[in-house]
Amino acid sequence: MSLLSEVDALYQQCVTEPDRCGDQFFADWADGVAANEHLDRDSARSIRRCITAARKLASFWQDRDASATEDWKSRVDIALGARAWRPQLELAEHLLDSTGSEEAFSYVRTLFPVVRNQPFLDGQGYDAWLEARGKS
């Protein structure tokens, strides 16, 4: 599982099963990420921000009835809106800059308009992005 997918799973857990998301849960999650991923300083900072957002998500949904909202991403939006996605976008942008992976590009392309209210690269695709960077 990639680092970005792990953050998705963290957010999903926090909004669907907030009772299970206490201090030990977050410590174990962070330890697991640190053990399985090579985190540079920028990635680690983004991960800490994601954990902060995840704690807020769990706290928000702790005593609320979420039965009317099935989609976990909608629950994230209801609780924190774009603020929840900002640290994950920062992580995806950093990973895109450092690795140039198609997965990171896809995350940036999805999250960029949510956080910044404008399309990413005017809708340019991954291949065009690679070509513009001279890496095709």
Side-chain angles (χ1 to χ4, degrees):
M1 180 181 279
S2 76
L3 188 55
L4 293 165
S5 296
E6 293 216 24
V7 173
D8 275 348
L10 173 67
Y11 280 16
Q12 183 175 12
Q13 175 83 26
C14 289
V15 300
T16 58
E17 299 179 272
D19 321 353
R20 300 180 69 201
C21 299
D23 290 339
Q24 189 61 51
F25 168 80
F26 290 110
D28 292 345
W29 186 88
D31 287 346
V33 167
N36 295 323
E37 302 285 342
H38 169 71
L39 297 178
D40 59 27
R41 193 182 84 208
D42 291 335
S43 295
R45 181 179 43 240
S46 292
I47 287 295
R48 284 191 304 274
R49 289 178 179 159
C50 288
I51 292 171
T52 298
R55 285 180 181 277
K56 290 176 183 178
L57 291 169
S59 178
F60 180 90
W61 287 107
Q62 188 72 41
D63 297 320
R64 287 186 170 77
D65 178 20
S67 61
T69 309
E70 291 298 319
D71 179 46
W72 71 268
K73 290 181 180 181
S74 294
R75 291 181 188 181
V76 170
D77 290 336
I78 289 168
L80 295 178
R83 291 179 304 154
W85 302 113
R86 191 169 290 122
Q88 191 175 15
L89 174 61
E90 290 171 359
L91 177 61
E93 288 175 322
H94 173 67
L95 293 174
L96 181 60
D97 287 341
S98 62
T99 68
S101 77
E102 193 166 356
E103 180 193 24
F105 182 89
S106 177
Y107 269 82
V108 171
R109 188 175 185 174
T110 301
L111 293 174
F112 195 88
V114 172
V115 174
R116 303 228 170 97
N117 203 25
Q118 59 186 338
F120 178 62
L121 300 177
D122 293 323
Q124 179 177 318
Y126 180 70
D127 291 334
W129 176 81
L130 273 180
E131 188 175 314
R133 290 189 67 183
K135 295 186 177 187
S136 59

